Amino acid sequence: MTPRPASSPRPSDEARPSPGEPNAPESPRTKADPAPRRKTAAKRDAAPAADSAVGRKTGAPAPAAGGSGTGTRRRSGGTVGGESADTRTGSAAPSYDGTPEPSFAAAAGEAARPSAGAGEDAVSAPGMQARAASTPATGADGGTGATAPNAPDRAGSSGRDSGMPARTPSAPAGQAPAPTGRSRTAGAASGALPRAGADAGASTGRGAATADSGAGAGTGAGGTTGPRPIARPGVRPVPPLDPGERQRLLSGTHHDPHGLLGAHPTPDGVVFRALRPFARSVAVVAGGLRAELGSEGDGLFAGVLPLSKIPDYRLAVAYDESEEREFHDPYRFLPALGELDLHLISEGRHEELWGALGAHPMTYEGVAGTRFTVWAPNARGVRLAGDFNFWDASGFPMRSLGSSGVWELFAPGIGEGALYKFDIARPDGSHTLRADPMARRTQCPPETASIVTASHHTWEDAEWMAHRGDRRVHQSPFSVYEVHLPSWRPGLSYRQLADQLPAYVKGLGFTHVELMPVAEHPYSPSWGYQVTSYYAPTARLGTPDDFKYLVDALHRAGIGVIVDWVPAHFPKDDWALARFDGTTLYEPADPTRAEHPDWGTLEFDYGRNEVRNFLVANAVYWCEEFHVDGLRVDAVASMLYLDYSREGGEWTPNEFGGRENLDAVRFLQEMNATVYRRCPGVVTIAEESTAWDGVTRATHHPGPGGFGGLGFGLKWNMGWMHDSLGYVSKEPVHRKYHHNEMTFSMVYAYSENYVLPISHDEVVHGKQALVSKMPGDWWQRRANHRAYLGFMWAHPGKQLLFMGQEFAQGAEWSEAHGPEWWLLDDTYHSAGDHRGVRDLVRDLNHVYTANAPLWERDTDPTGFTWVEGGAADDNVFTFTRHDAFGNPVLCVSNFSPVVRHDYRLGVPDADASWQEILNTDAACYGGSGVRNADVVKPEAVAWHGRRHSITVALPPLATVWFRPV
């Protein structure tokens, strides 16, 4: 593979006392799930792979010490606990059977070979120092095995291991022998080593090459002439890295750091290389023995040990005067992500994407740590930064897994609670620090780091989950209480809300709650509709498990949970999704398509497989991981039309010359089909404000325009909301001129499956609260409010009411303080007025749920019949609703402020009498108390085209429901 040009390194930060090392516990605080046993894939740019890997059980025997095979080893794949593969130029690498070596001495003995010089001694020293040894041994000349102070950064080499020229810098002239013990010079420290024979300290063989000079610097037992170089018995220097490779590695633009770092078998032994910026010393430790690596400068340490196979080793690292600590080497592991995962990601069909990308604590090959993966296909390099390395990413480069665009690193010792981001090298060589798009937990805004997390919640809603799909939502009672969690009871956490919200909603009789967006967002006044972390519940109220606890509590109370979901656009924050890898990745490349003209945000590129997969999997994620029962999809209209809020010349037609966004159509169809297939009982709801055909039609049923349906379960009826609110906001004397605004909805009521929404959007930004939209004095406004709710609950379609409107709050909603609960307090003189409206909403829900004609045939035209829809002069609307057996409920709304006595209504042919089951003018609700206390018997008087009729009293500004008895 032709190497990519190296970028300029970033300006280095001020040196820190001990950067680059995990300060988290060596293993996660909780038991991690085992990694999946799947094959892995990576970039294959060399010869075909052979079965071998660091620390992998393959069963293949190790090659002889002098076996053939030269070149650079590249890791290319493997499985957790299964087969593995390496790609080496020219030959297969020796394999490791996974059995810890009894001692390095035995391995060194097996690998003993003549040194480069003719007649020189064979290597007999194991090359590893017993860790218990504290006193350096001395040779015949009294020298020690300590490292000389001010030793050069790079060890010499004959170049035999990789065919590169040897680097043989000489020791500084006149340099005195080093004192006993470890030098404090960064990168040049070496503990005293036991001698291999009487003259081991002066050996001139390659096995005794020193950090100060090239091979053969020593002279033997008789002493030295001039400063005597210090020998590391058995540890040989490594040829220097290619300058281009080194530059890319250090600048964070190398696609395969694992090919340079870690342990790599060669014909001459095992090459160890570590990148530990600012470290004083790095040693390889295994089986109670250790070997110091020589410094190559810039935080690189390397050495060749005379071993036939790669041991189960750790790195012992020391910084300045700090105590030495041991760590597992992140670069000894094969990819912890399977080939199937990568294939599905590339095709945009990974329905459990959250399990493949992001940060996942796990135990991999017996080592506890966290697997980090991120999709950044146009990055020149990606590194990992976090609190575990003092936000210095230079020592944690990630590897590219081939053409998938995924970068991966398994980081041992990093567990739950660790903060992290990805340091991404853009195509122009500059760097950007980004939060994880797949983060499942984040810091609380304004902080922006991602957090390693794993769920420990034990669900207790098995009964709910087992039966939520027993009956279709269209044929079930469905009344929704819309909630903005942060402001419903300001200051409460998810768990505290779980103690109050379920009981309140259940007491009011609502069947579901709809939560305004709970995914993490940086700007609170956006109410959650500008999302930066699509897979993380907002940390403002607690952890992901805390949110699960809230959903669990709602389910146990018999309340379904719908979550607002925002796939239409995302904000431009430079630490989030916008130009994530330095290119237009999640957004379209065409700026006229990318910019959302209304909100100053960016639209998603729905035509890109990986982006579409990111969103489809996210929809499934909320339903499966958080047991959410529905998704209300925001701003669907802005997704469907290329010319949405754009003037002529500001948009480009689709391939057929139309204004439909065909990519968005395909995305919505795939999302709905996937959610309904995987999550029985879940409903998707579209906030779609146009007359797009087939929003709630099945995706495989084409409509008049040739499109299949979008596949939503329900759609907000924005037309009904707009028209009906316009009607009730008029003075009663003028309403007869707007009568059709209340009846027009029935012209299209069965074209889609509708929800009737009085949502947050209707009670903010100068639109006034629902009760404040009504004309008249305080009594009349409340009466209008109650009558309107009664009409809404009886109209075909499901109901949604925003918090605060259930008790006629007069002020607009504000996310800063939420509902005005004080209006219900006994100390407030009008508290009874507000409690009366709240009691009506409770009774509306209970009577509605108990009477199937009001909900069972919401989507069936046979479930509704006008009795009188043209009484404009009276401001009266009369209709019947029917269940599957034809049983009726008679609904009458009088939007005039006068009592209409003996008002005659035609009724279905029946011998039954009619009983009032709900009256919004009841005195207990704050009304005037005009009622039909007795049952009303039909008369054989033809009226409204029916053979029988009844006469009733219609209260002023009220809705009354009757049923036959």
Side-chain angles (χ1 to χ4, degrees), residues 112-123:
R113 59 180 63 84
S115 62
E120 293 175 340
D121 294 339
V123 177

Side-chain angles (χ1 to χ4, degrees), residues 12 38 159 164 187 260 271 351 364 393 408 414 487 516 717 733 785 829 834 846 867 952:
S12 59
R38 291 188 288 246
M164 297 181 182
L260 305 178
V271 173
E351 295 178 357
Y364 183 50
E408 181 265 353
I414 297 175
S487 68
M516 292 169 67
N717 195 335
V733 69
H785 183 103
H829 61 82
H834 297 280
H846 289 157
V867 172
V952 297

